[in-house]
């Protein structure tokens, strides 16, 4: 991608110096026409010139230092109002100067959530080809504003937000905070929703000697700047990528979109690159947000189990646990006529040993873990709170009322929600209010966050409700109601506003309170102190006491209402926690809870996690399953030992699996503790031991 000077267009793919046209390669993409055409900007490598926004911040400084040591071509950075040098590199006061002087191909946005959306917009305005945003807690409506801007241009590509970033081990280029010792140069492309699941997948591929060509972290937010299909398009054309791994989870339709793309890919390609995948959350309860902000299934979306089957049906090889990816990919490569031994030899010629990074990467990972906050859950109001929140807006729609009775069988459904694929808000309607039929009959009608729904969009949404026998005034009321809810959606920074409706005997519209789903983004308040009136209502929510208490310590705890469950789980990372619950089922075990220790896990956090788990009288055994990407294995071991010292363990046995960063230290501390703990390397043997202790086997 060529740099821009003055007012020259980026689409020219060149820059002028002293009247001479000079081209500088960044991607192999053709002339730009829209945001979709920027996907090839993801092909980073040794050539990629990287800058930092928020360059002088503590986390950015540590990350940049370690990325430079890794081999990333960092050329400087920006901190507003500062100019000079930092880490021996140019420090500039704004992106305009950085663009002119440093000619970056990519920017790492290490800016806190309150300022991050603005920083991304600045990067779009400067036409930086690749923007990587790692911050958590950016309000959803700020991201929808950003994605609305992205859709109007063809120069910049966003990875994130709330993402580990993107890394090309084959070119030693990291833009993000991935745990460097886990990666090795090679030929497997990985795209993932979950950071921790991806780290364990990476480790498995590294152990198999295949290494990675390019790894793209989508992030766990509701809307991702780059999704699975975008990643697949890059992997398809990348000559260094021989095989592909996808890591999905509950929520959204990214995996369904990927399956549709893969089906077309297999039809047009004689010898397609093999694809393997995992999908977290196949046993997750409906209506719960499982750690990641985007890990929940909206009405009309496929469940994780259904998405698993959809991927399988288009020829994707599904695995049950990420440690299986390495051997699975070796087998798939051989079956498709690709030589795994040659790929291993190619990878070995440029490979850095697994878990032999310098002390700096580990130190940076620990800094990141301590600094990170856990992704909070969205705020879902109780149905009886709905009338008070809705009333000021419903007063604008003449004739519409609220009923406290359930919707009749011949009712209808409408909502304003988010379309994750289109990265926009959407009207969603159905010609039924029957919950068993909604998934297959809901249709979404996306619209611009900046401009709101057009009249034609509203008319299409109303038409889909099949109101042919309704009086004209009802159709007018519904159209007005949708417009009004869209206004409220933006005003109050909602995630979903939904209700079943019916016609009164007078031909007017009424909403049915028992069906209300009023879901809001609590990051708006937590990050920027917006929507204080909405957030104040959270105090009245009906929640499990353990869930609220856990959140105070940066832990996400979800009690699973399974009367046959008796295995407590303690895991780091939402995706890995979901997968642990899922995978235990494969061996006949049932988990009492989902528990993600969070990004700022400490020994005290681990101890607190044990306390929460042991409050459930069903628990007969506790399974600690840790993959240390950003979390240190030695620290986890210390937390386990601290729990045995300070918590009444009630004689409950504990099985510990520690892999990843400092795994040897953690395993040694557990083995030498004298507590008789079961410690394992592999997931399968650990899971079988857990199930046996729980009193069941398969």
């Amino acid at each position: 991608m060529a740099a821009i000077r003055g007012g020259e267009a980026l689409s020219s793919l060149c820059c002028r110096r002293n009247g001479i046209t000079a081209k500088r390669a960044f991607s192999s993409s053709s002339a730009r026409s829209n945001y979709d055409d920027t996907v090839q900007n993801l092909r980073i490598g040794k050539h990629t010139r990287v800058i930092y926004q928020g360059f002088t911040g503590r986390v950015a400084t540590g990350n940049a230092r370690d990325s430079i040591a890794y081999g990333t071509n960092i050329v400087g950075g920006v901190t507003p109002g500062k100019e000079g040098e930092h880490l021996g590199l140019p420090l500039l006061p704004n992106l305009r100067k950085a663009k002119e002087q440093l000619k970056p191909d990519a920017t790492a946005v290490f800016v806190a959530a309150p300022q991050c959306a603005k920083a991304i917009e600045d990067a779009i305005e400067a036409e930086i080809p690749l923007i990587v945003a790692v911050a958590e807690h950016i309000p959803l409506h700020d991201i929808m504003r950003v994605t609305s801007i992205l859709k109007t241009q063809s120069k910049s590509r966003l990875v994130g937000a709330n993402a580990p970033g993107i890394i090309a081990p084959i070119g030693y280029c990291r833009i993000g905070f991935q745990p460097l010792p886990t990666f090795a140069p090679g030929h497997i492309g990985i795209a993932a929703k979950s950071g921790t699941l991806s780290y364990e997948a990476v480790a498995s591929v590294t152990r198999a000697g295949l290494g990675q060509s390019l790894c793209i972290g989508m992030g766990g937010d509701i809307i991702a700047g780059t999704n699975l299909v975008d990643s697949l398009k890059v992997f398809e054309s990348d000559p260094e990528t021989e095989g592909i791994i996808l890591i999905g989870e509950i929520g959204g339709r990214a995996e369904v979109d990927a399956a549709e793309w893969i089906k077309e890919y297999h039809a047009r390609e004689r010898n397609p690159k093999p694809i393997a995948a995992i999908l977290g959350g196949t046993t997750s309860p409906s209506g719960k947000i499982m750690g990641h902000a985007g890990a929940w299934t909206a009405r009309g979306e496929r469940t994780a189990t259904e998405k698993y089957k959809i991927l399988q049906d288009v020829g994707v090889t599904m695995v049950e646990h990420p440690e299986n990816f390495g051997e699975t990919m070796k087998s798939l490569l051989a079956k498709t006529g690709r030589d795994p031994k040659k790929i291993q030899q190619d990878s070995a010629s440029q490979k850095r040993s697994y878990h032999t990074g310098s002390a700096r990467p580990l130190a940076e990972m620990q800094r990141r873990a301590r600094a990170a906050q856990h992704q909070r859950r969205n705020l879902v109001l109780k149905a009886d709170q709905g009338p008070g929140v809705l009333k000021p807006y419903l007063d604008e729609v003449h004739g519409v009322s609220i009923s406290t009775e359930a919707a009749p069988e011949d009712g209808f459904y409408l909502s304003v929600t988010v379309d994750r694929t289109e990265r926009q808000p959407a009207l969603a309607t159905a010609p039924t209010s029957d919950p068993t039929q909604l998934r297959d009959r809901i249709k979404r009608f996306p619209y611009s966050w900046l401009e709101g729904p057009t009249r034609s969009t509203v008319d299409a949404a109303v038409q889909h409700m099949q109101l042919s026998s309704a009086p004209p005034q009802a159709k007018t009321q519904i159209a007005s109601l949708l417009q009004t809810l869209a206004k409220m959606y933006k005003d109050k920074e909602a995630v979903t506003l939904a209700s079943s409706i019916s016609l009164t005997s007078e031909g007017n519209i009424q909403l049915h309170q028992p069906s209300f789903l009023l879901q809001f983004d609590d990051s708006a308040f937590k990050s920027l102190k917006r929507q204080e009136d909405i957030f104040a209502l959270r105090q009245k929510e009906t929640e499990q006491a353990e869930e609220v208490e856990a959140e105070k310590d940066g832990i996400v705890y979800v009690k699973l209402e399974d009367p046959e469950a008796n295995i407590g789980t303690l895991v780091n990372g939402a995706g890995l926690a979901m997968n642990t619950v899922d995978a235990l089922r494969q061996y006949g075990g049932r988990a009492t809870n989902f528990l993600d220790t969070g990004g700022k896990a400490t020994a005290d956090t681990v101890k607190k996690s044990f306390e929460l788990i042991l409050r459930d009288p069903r628990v007969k055994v506790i399974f600690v399953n840790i993959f240390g990407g950003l979390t240190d294995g030695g620290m986890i071991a210390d937390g386990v030992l601290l729990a045995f010292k300070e918590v009444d363990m009630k004689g409950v046995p504990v099985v510990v699996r520690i892999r990843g960063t400092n795994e040897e230290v953690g395993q040694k501390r557990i083995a030498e503790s004298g507590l008789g703990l079961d410690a394992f390397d592999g997931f399968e043997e650990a899971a079988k031991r857990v199930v046996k202790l729980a009193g069941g086997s398969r």
Side-chain angles (χ1 to χ4, degrees), residues 12 44 164 232 272 278 302 354 441 452 504 537:
S12 66
I44 61 172
L232 285 165
I278 195 169
R302 300 288 178 178
Y354 178 53
R441 303 189 72 181
T504 67
L537 296 173

Side-chain angles (χ1 to χ4, degrees), residues 157-475:
R157 159 68 44 172
L158 173 66
V159 171
N162 187 20
I166 181 171
I167 182 171
I170 205 165
Y172 297 108
C173 181
R174 177 182 77 159
I175 312 174
F177 57 83
Q178 303 89 340
L180 293 171
T182 310
F183 292 80
H187 300 284
I188 304 301
I190 300 176
K193 278 186 174 181
S194 164
T196 313
L197 271 180
S198 72
Y199 304 152
E200 181 143 11
V202 164
S204 178
V205 169
T206 297
R207 289 190 198 102
L210 299 173
Q212 306 85 35
S213 54
L214 182 66
C215 301
I216 302 168
M218 281 179 57
D221 276 359
I222 297 172
I223 291 178
T226 291
N227 57 35
L228 296 181
V229 169
D230 298 328
S231 304
L232 285 165
K233 291 176 181 177
V234 175
F235 295 148
E236 177 189 14
S237 61
D238 180 19
E240 299 291 353
T241 298
E242 298 284 352
I244 300 168
I245 289 173
L246 300 180
I247 297 172
E249 63 184 27
I250 189 173
R253 56 168 287 123
E255 298 83 0
V256 177
D257 294 337
E260 293 172 356
W261 186 92
I262 291 166
K263 184 177 181 180
E264 295 174 359
Y265 171 53
H266 286 174
R268 69 173 178 269
E269 180 63 40
R270 184 169 298 179
N271 185 24
K273 297 175 182 180
I275 303 173
I278 195 169
L279 219 156
T282 56
T283 59
S284 295
S286 62
K288 286 286 187 179
I289 299 170
M290 306 302 289
H292 290 156
W296 50 276
T297 301
R299 287 171 177 166
E301 293 179 345
R302 300 288 178 178
T303 66
T305 300
E306 290 169 328
K307 292 194 288 188
Y308 180 107
K309 182 67 163 53
I310 289 168
L311 284 166
Q312 194 173 52
D313 287 347
V314 297
V316 176
T317 299
M318 304 301 294
V319 305
E320 305 304 326
H321 192 271
E323 73 175 2
N324 299 330
F325 272 123
E327 293 306 314
T328 297
M329 287 308 304
K330 285 171 70 174
S331 175
L332 291 175
L333 290 166
K335 286 181 181 178
T336 57
R338 294 167 173 87
D339 187 352
K341 290 184 179 179
K342 183 178 184 303
I343 292 172
Q344 286 175 288
Q345 290 169 356
D346 290 345
S347 300
S349 67
Q350 45 187 338
K351 181 177 178 180
R352 294 181 178 179
S353 298
Y354 178 53
H355 290 298
T356 57
S358 67
R360 279 180 176 174
L362 178 56
E364 190 270 315
M365 285 185 274
Q366 292 171 330
R367 284 195 302 270
R368 170 77 190 184
R370 288 192 295 268
Q373 293 183 343
H374 210 291
Q375 182 63 48
R376 304 289 182 176
R377 295 164 293 170
N378 291 318
L379 168 60
V380 181
L381 301 188
K382 294 186 296 183
D384 60 8
Q385 293 173 310
V389 177
L390 287 168
K391 188 177 185 304
Y393 290 88
L394 294 184
D395 286 347
E396 299 178 14
V397 187
H398 179 71
V400 173
S401 60
I402 296 176
S403 170
T404 57
E405 298 179 355
E409 292 183 359
D410 60 350
F412 306 89
Y413 172 86
L414 57 74
S415 73
V416 184
T417 187
V418 59
D419 188 314
R420 306 191 201 198
T421 298
E422 295 297 327
R423 305 181 177 101
Q424 293 178 308
L427 308 179
T429 58
T432 180
S433 60
D434 184 346
T436 64
Q437 298 183 35
L438 281 178
R439 191 199 64 186
D440 295 322
R441 303 189 72 181
I442 283 179
K443 185 174 181 180
R444 285 180 169 78
F445 301 86
Y447 63 87
S448 167
W449 181 91
L450 293 171
E451 299 173 0
T454 63
R455 179 60 184 268
S456 61
T457 300
V458 173
D459 289 346
V462 174
Q463 185 176 4
H464 181 65
M465 298 174 76
Q466 299 176 16
L467 293 160
S468 56
S469 60
Q473 70 187 50
K475 297 177 186 178

Side-chain angles (χ1 to χ4, degrees), residues 675-693:
L675 296 172
L677 298 171
D678 287 298
F680 295 90
D681 287 336
F683 181 86
E684 181 175 350
E685 58 182 346
K688 287 180 177 178
R689 176 59 176 164
V690 169
V691 173
K692 183 176 181 181
L693 289 170

Side-chain angles (χ1 to χ4, degrees), residues 283 320-321 578-588 683 687:
T283 59
E320 305 304 326
H321 192 271
M578 280 188 277
N579 176 252
T580 300
V581 174
D582 297 341
L584 280 171
R585 286 284 186 99
Q586 301 297 315
Y587 303 100
F683 181 86

Side-chain angles (χ1 to χ4, degrees), residues 21-82:
T21 299
K23 293 186 177 181
R24 176 165 58 80
F26 175 73
S27 75
S28 59
S29 58
S30 60
R32 309 271 185 235
S33 60
N34 58 46
Y35 182 61
D36 290 342
D37 288 333
T38 65
V39 293
Q40 295 302 331
N41 295 6
L42 297 166
R43 289 180 59 179
I44 61 172
K46 286 184 177 295
H47 63 281
T48 305
R49 297 171 63 85
V50 181
I51 63 170
Y52 277 72
Q53 288 171 258
F55 191 26
T56 55
R58 180 177 57 84
V59 176
T61 298
N63 182 275
R65 184 180 289 116
D66 294 333
S67 292
I68 290 168
Y70 181 63
T72 307
N73 182 23
I74 296 172
V75 296
V78 172
T79 296
K82 295 185 179 181

